[in-house]
Amino acid sequence: MEDEAFTDICGKPISLDCQSHSSFCREFIISSPKVSMGKVMVYTCSVWLLAYAVFFFTQNTAVLSGAILVTLVGMMLHIHFVKVDHESLLVIGSLGIQVSSSYASGREITTFIEMSKIKDIVINEAIYMHQIIYYLCVLLKDPSEPDAVSSVVPLFQSSKPRLNCLVKVYKSCQEILSKCQ
Amino acid sequence: MVLKIFFPQCCNRAESGLLVGRWISGHDSAVVLAVIHYPFIPGQVKQYIQQSGVELTVLGSWSLPKEGQESMESFLRDLSTIFPQQRWLQVSRQMGKMGFICEVVNRNQKTQQEAKKQNDDEEEEKVIFVHYEQRKVMLSQLHPTESGDPDLDTEPPSELKQVFQTVARSQPLFFLDRYDDGPLKSTHWQSEGREASIIVELLKQASVPLCVLISWLLALWTWLCSIRIFSLYPLRFLSSKLSTCVQISYRTEHMRTLSSPKPAIEHKQFMRKGNILVSFLVDVGLGVLLMSWLYRDDHIATLANMLMPAADHVAKELEELLQWLMGAPAGLKMNRALDQVLGRFFLYHIHLWISYIHLMSPFIEGILWYGGLSACLGLTFALSLLSDMVALLTFHIYCFYVYGARLYCLKIYGLSSLWRLFRGKKWNVLRQRVDSCSYDVDQRYINAIHYFVCLFLTPGSRCVVQLRLVVVLFQGVLHLSVDFINSFPLFAMGLRLFRPYRLAEGVKFQVLCEEPGTALHLLMEINPLKCSTVVQLYRTPTYSCYPRDSWAALVKKLFVGELIYPWRHKSTKVD
């Protein structure tokens, strides 16, 4: 279990957890920062102040209850669909790669890619407006055409770690892939 | 290379015995299907494997020594000589410990030992145990499913697909349980006794005579429909336009699919049958509900009494609108002659329609009463009948629309070409695009006059088009709900919600707690399909495909579609 100080491309701190279950099975978990209480308070207070101002002019209590409902529903939707708690990559030699992201509400989305469909794991460069971003991705191939790349699956989309973190994960993955592909 | 062994969870605590299953070709993996316990006679085991009808081989031995039993190491190794295999797996487990220990014995023992002496680390075969739940994997269907045509499958199926297929095809193996008086005792997920549901069995028995009855009724109905008198031109044209007749023919097709005596072999056929049956039952249920509401408390009489004043009200509104248009609407001075002609024409139509409605008024209640009976065939029938009645009653609006729209489209066409003239452009018929062109001063002058004349003639026709839009919207809503009830895959959604493992998109792995020195243990769970994918895959195709974006296209067509129309006549007009 290693825990160094990594940051994502925006500068927010993230943490990387590497677990080695076996010589050919490793798991990498990148956790994003949790929901900050300050932000929640700011949003809630602003929505309620606005609602109170509207109530002051219209004297309609439905506005207040509407604001409370909107805040609650908005928060639930945010933690269930938007806020990613951690993303993990499980590499099992000669079986495949499993990519999963868990949201703050506990919901998990998992995808498993079989080894026969994987060509390689690489770090790719992308130019996005004024930035150059590095991201880790899995190159997929069609089993009938082993030389062509059929599609690209980017990893760690929500956490967006920086190059130093990616290099660590990349080296670990390549050790397994080179042995067991 | 890493050896993968797919081990069923039900056999985790099985007594010592032989492992039977199948090796997956092309990949270094084996699927264990059952454990055959001691004592057994090897000849009987071989016979059983050959006769079971399932592709089986003996994979190796399993030992879980109970208290007091000494380990049978040598006995187990001797078994490998009785069942000669390329590779022999010796899996053992200690009570109280979670991990399994696996030794792989290759056929040529000597080479194994020699190689071991040379490089110790490399030849040591690594083993992964993947635990799976046999019942769920057997019932599950991995998507994307294969099409029925084997010629289309050029690539060999993937490892996971082969695993799922192996378990699914080994169903005959699971019919032998612990309480059978056969020569062999085995452990698999049904070994505690075969599971079945009485209701399902009863339904299966009842479905055979029911299918015969339905197919007989269908034959009768088809014979009726094919009577020569129905294939005369006007009736055939009418029946293709009326949505009730279309719905009847659609449901007849469904009944034919359902009542076929052959059971569905392929997964897609099975799902289709299930969807048709469930949506038909829900349809009939909703229809009966509607009927029970309609015939209670004299609702029909109330509805009939509401209809007459509503029709009068609509006619009065239309007359007022026309009078307003014939005058000076919104202060615009329009061409008096044209407006008078159109206005009088439409007023006469309205007068005809109102007289027709008054003539029908004593029969309305009777029509509603008998029409309501059609709801027992399903809610979709009632809705299509309603839609047809609305279409018939608002026929006059349709007439106005046709007349008005023709004039409207001519005006819009003229307006658009004159507008292009204003900007100095021209429609190029050859290239089907707008090109620039230079005009003289007098050409531009005449153009300006024509343009403003046309501009002030348009508002009248626009109102009629808008009225038609209201009717079309209402009919559209009815059609959409009929379509929704017809095509929504209720059976597939129910299966996804209550038995999510049956429709699998993929699998997920979880690393089980490991002890040092043992192999890696993974738990394989089924990842169910997303709900949106279920709806997309299993939608029953309907007769009218209403894709989502055709609503926007429909509205656009009504307002601007008069613009699209003239493009068709482009080749006849010279600009």
Side-chain angles (χ1 to χ4, degrees):
Chain A
M1 287 249 280
E2 296 141 52
D3 233 359
E4 287 174 38
F6 293 110
T7 57
D8 71 355
I9 56 177
C10 303
K12 297 197 200 88
I14 56 171
S15 69
L16 170 68
D17 183 17
C18 306
Q19 287 180 15
S20 181
H21 300 288
S22 149
S23 64
F24 49 87
C25 176
R26 292 205 189 136
E27 190 168 3
F28 309 96
I29 305 177
I30 294 188
S31 328
S32 312
K34 312 277 185 231
V35 180
S36 77
M37 287 309 292
K39 255 190 167 176
V40 169
M41 298 282 286
V42 162
Y43 279 130
T44 325
C45 291
S46 57
V47 169
W48 286 352
L49 275 174
L50 193 70
Y52 195 72
V54 174
F55 169 71
F56 187 70
F57 289 111
T58 59
Q59 291 297 322
N60 189 0
T61 52
V63 171
L64 293 177
S65 29
I68 294 177
L69 211 68
V70 160
T71 326
L72 281 176
V73 169
M75 269 204 287
M76 287 204 298
L77 289 178
H78 181 79
I79 62 172
H80 196 71
F81 290 111
V82 175
K83 183 81 190 100
V84 170
D85 188 47
H86 60 263
E87 290 175 300
S88 81
L89 175 72
L90 174 68
V91 181
I92 310 168
S94 87
L95 197 60
I97 292 184
Q98 175 168 292
V99 181
S100 101
S101 34
S102 4
Y103 291 83
S105 62
R107 182 171 84 114
E108 271 199 39
I109 298 188
T110 323
T111 330
F112 179 73
I113 309 168
E114 289 182 69
M115 206 43 108
S116 58
K117 294 209 181 83
I118 296 176
K119 189 156 194 275
D120 204 359
I121 294 187
V122 294
I123 297 183
N124 231 357
E125 251 178 7
I127 300 177
Y128 179 67
M129 303 248 235
H130 55 279
Q131 286 176 312
I132 296 182
I133 311 175
Y134 297 96
Y135 62 97
L136 195 67
C137 58
V138 181
L139 301 177
L140 300 183
K141 67 172 194 253
D142 223 359
S144 52
E145 270 179 75
D147 292 328
V149 175
S150 68
S151 61
V152 171
V153 176
L155 304 173
F156 301 125
Q157 287 287 82
S158 312
S159 354
K160 299 196 193 72
R162 285 201 175 169
L163 190 61
N164 45 4
C165 183
L166 291 178
V167 164
K168 217 163 156 218
V169 176
Y170 171 79
K171 281 188 181 154
S172 238
C173 289
Q174 287 295 332
E175 276 172 23
I176 300 178
L177 282 184
S178 54
K179 268 192 290 180
C180 304
Q181 196 155 25
Chain B
M1 273 304 276
V2 181
L3 174 66
K4 293 154 270 185
I5 301 178
F6 289 85
F7 203 82
Q9 278 184 316
C10 49
C11 295
N12 277 350
R13 291 176 181 278
E15 293 168 5
S16 313
L18 273 181
L19 290 171
V20 289
R22 188 178 164 239
W23 285 97
I24 306 279
S25 59
H27 303 96
D28 215 3
S29 31
V31 179
V32 174
L33 292 169
V35 176
I36 298 182
H37 301 295
Y38 310 122
F40 55 82
I41 303 172
Q44 275 180 344
V45 172
K46 286 185 189 166
Q47 202 186 30
Y48 168 69
I49 287 175
Q50 272 170 356
Q51 282 177 348
S52 64
V54 175
E55 235 183 288
L56 272 187
T57 45
V58 177
L59 295 173
S61 67
W62 161 253
S63 99
L64 179 63
K66 298 265 188 228
E67 290 142 14
Q69 246 182 4
E70 62 267 2
S71 88
M72 309 184 255
E73 286 287 330
S74 53
F75 174 60
L76 294 172
R77 204 158 292 148
D78 289 337
L79 275 176
S80 64
T81 50
I82 305 175
F83 299 100
Q85 300 290 334
Q86 193 66 21
R87 277 158 145 190
W88 182 258
L89 303 170
Q90 272 176 242
V91 186
S92 62
R93 182 187 172 188
Q94 305 285 331
M95 280 303 282
K97 281 198 184 168
M98 302 278 279
F100 297 176
I101 303 170
C102 177
E103 259 184 55
V104 183
V105 177
N106 280 328
R107 194 150 182 203
N108 18 16
Q109 191 79 329
K110 245 193 239 172
T111 15
Q112 161 98 343
Q113 279 173 357
E114 271 173 18
K116 243 194 163 166
K117 281 182 204 152
Q118 282 164 17
N119 8 27
D120 232 342
D121 297 313
E122 269 188 44
E123 278 306 312
E124 200 182 300
E125 200 140 3
K126 297 167 205 155
V127 181
I128 304 181
F129 281 98
V130 180
H131 295 264
Y132 69 96
E133 205 182 311
Q134 213 166 34
R135 183 181 78 104
K136 290 193 176 166
V137 172
M138 187 187 83
L139 290 173
S140 151
Q141 176 75 291
L142 198 60
H143 291 79
T145 47
E146 284 167 358
S147 53
D149 197 356
D151 293 332
L152 289 177
D153 288 333
T154 48
E155 46 192 66
S158 65
E159 183 181 8
L160 277 177
K161 224 177 173 66
Q162 288 197 34
V163 169
F164 273 70
Q165 274 174 0
T166 312
V167 182
R169 285 184 197 149
S170 59
Q171 259 191 343
L173 180 66
F174 302 138
F175 289 160
L176 188 72
D177 64 35
R178 182 175 296 206
Y179 306 103
D180 275 340
D181 273 333
L184 297 172
K185 300 259 177 284
S186 58
T187 302
H188 44 71
W189 69 276
Q190 292 249 49
S191 52
E192 297 296 325
R194 238 175 299 150
E195 293 175 8
S197 159
I198 286 190
I199 300 178
V200 171
E201 298 297 321
L202 281 175
L203 281 175
K204 276 189 197 165
Q205 295 297 321
S207 67
V208 173
L210 202 66
C211 280
V212 171
L213 178 69
I214 292 178
S215 38
W216 181 78
L217 281 172
L218 273 179
L220 193 67
W221 173 251
T222 340
W223 173 78
L224 256 169
C225 288
S226 61
I227 295 179
R228 296 270 320 257
I229 198 166
F230 286 133
S231 48
L232 287 177
Y233 170 66
L235 277 174
R236 211 168 28 158
F237 174 74
L238 211 66
S239 67
S240 68
K241 290 290 172 206
L242 285 178
S243 48
T244 322
C245 300
V246 178
Q247 180 71 12
I248 290 179
S249 67
Y250 183 64
R251 277 286 182 230
T252 324
E253 266 312 305
H254 280 178
M255 286 294 126
R256 202 165 283 142
T257 327
L258 274 182
S259 67
S260 68
K262 292 183 295 202
I265 313 166
E266 247 196 6
H267 172 79
K268 263 202 172 329
Q269 275 177 2
F270 168 70
M271 292 299 283
R272 190 133 187 270
K273 268 191 163 179
N275 282 331
I276 291 175
L277 183 67
V278 173
S279 74
F280 177 68
L281 289 174
V282 167
D283 193 17
V284 169
L286 286 173
V288 167
L289 219 73
L290 178 71
M291 261 173 65
S292 70
W293 173 81
L294 214 60
Y295 289 104
R296 198 200 314 166
D297 294 339
D298 227 7
H299 278 138
I300 292 196
T302 340
L303 270 176
N305 291 338
M306 249 174 39
L307 209 64
M308 278 311 306
D312 277 335
H313 179 75
V314 166
K316 211 154 61 112
E317 290 291 319
L318 274 177
E319 276 179 21
E320 274 179 25
L321 178 75
L322 283 167
Q323 291 292 349
W324 180 70
L325 279 176
M326 289 204 293
L332 289 170
K333 271 189 91 162
M334 303 213 295
N335 187 329
R336 205 162 171 74
L338 177 68
D339 283 344
Q340 290 282 333
V341 161
L342 280 178
R344 292 242 179 91
F345 188 50
F346 290 162
L347 274 173
Y348 183 59
H349 266 82
I350 292 176
H351 169 75
L352 277 177
W353 180 66
I354 278 290
S355 342
Y356 163 68
I357 292 277
H358 279 284
L359 207 71
M360 292 272 293
S361 62
F363 305 112
I364 293 261
E365 197 176 326
I367 293 175
L368 274 179
W369 205 91
Y370 287 109
L373 279 182
S374 76
C376 74
L377 286 172
L379 186 66
T380 44
F381 279 107
L383 287 176
S384 5
L385 207 65
L386 182 66
S387 152
D388 285 336
M389 276 180 21
V390 163
L392 285 174
L393 287 176
T394 57
F395 192 61
H396 63 304
I397 300 186
Y398 181 65
C399 293
F400 294 170
Y401 164 73
V402 170
Y403 307 142
R406 284 283 167 206
L407 281 172
Y408 184 64
C409 86
L410 276 172
K411 288 176 199 166
I412 287 287
Y413 170 67
L415 263 180
S416 63
S417 88
L418 289 171
W419 174 246
R420 262 181 280 141
L421 226 168
F422 253 139
R423 286 159 51 215
K425 299 218 187 281
K426 184 174 116 142
W427 175 257
N428 190 338
V429 184
L430 197 62
R431 301 264 178 163
Q432 296 288 313
R433 65 171 187 210
V434 179
D435 281 340
S436 56
C437 167
S438 60
Y439 292 103
D440 295 334
V441 175
D442 38 355
Q443 277 178 329
R444 288 186 197 251
Y445 184 59
I446 305 247
N447 160 54
I449 295 176
H450 281 160
Y451 181 73
F452 285 105
V453 162
C454 281
L455 191 65
F456 291 123
L457 284 177
T458 44
S461 318
R462 191 160 228 155
C463 302
V464 175
V465 170
Q466 281 168 342
L467 206 61
R468 169 81 183 144
L469 185 65
V470 168
V471 174
V472 164
L473 270 176
F474 181 64
Q475 273 199 303
V477 165
L478 284 175
H479 278 161
L480 198 68
S481 36
V482 166
D483 210 39
F484 180 73
I485 299 179
N486 276 340
S487 72
F488 191 72
L490 272 171
F491 179 64
M493 269 319 263
L495 214 59
R496 165 67 182 87
L497 289 173
F498 300 113
R499 299 268 184 276
Y501 56 83
R502 289 199 64 166
L503 302 170
E505 191 181 31
V507 294
K508 343 187 229 219
F509 288 95
Q510 195 188 332
V511 180
L512 296 174
C513 59
E514 67 258 25
E515 290 159 14
T518 59
L520 179 68
H521 289 267
L522 296 170
L523 176 67
M524 182 172 89
E525 286 169 326
I526 293 183
N527 208 7
L529 269 183
K530 283 197 273 270
C531 291
S532 51
T533 328
V534 170
V535 172
Q536 209 179 354
L537 269 180
Y538 292 110
R539 259 179 70 113
T540 328
T542 51
Y543 46 82
S544 57
C545 300
Y546 263 115
R548 290 280 158 75
D549 47 21
S550 88
W551 280 106
L554 201 75
V555 173
K556 195 175 157 193
K557 216 172 156 194
L558 271 173
F559 275 109
V560 182
E562 277 53 65
L563 213 65
I564 297 176
Y565 239 63
W567 291 170
R568 275 202 220 143
H569 305 296
K570 252 312 162 231
S571 44
T572 58
K573 296 228 173 193
V574 179
D575 202 340

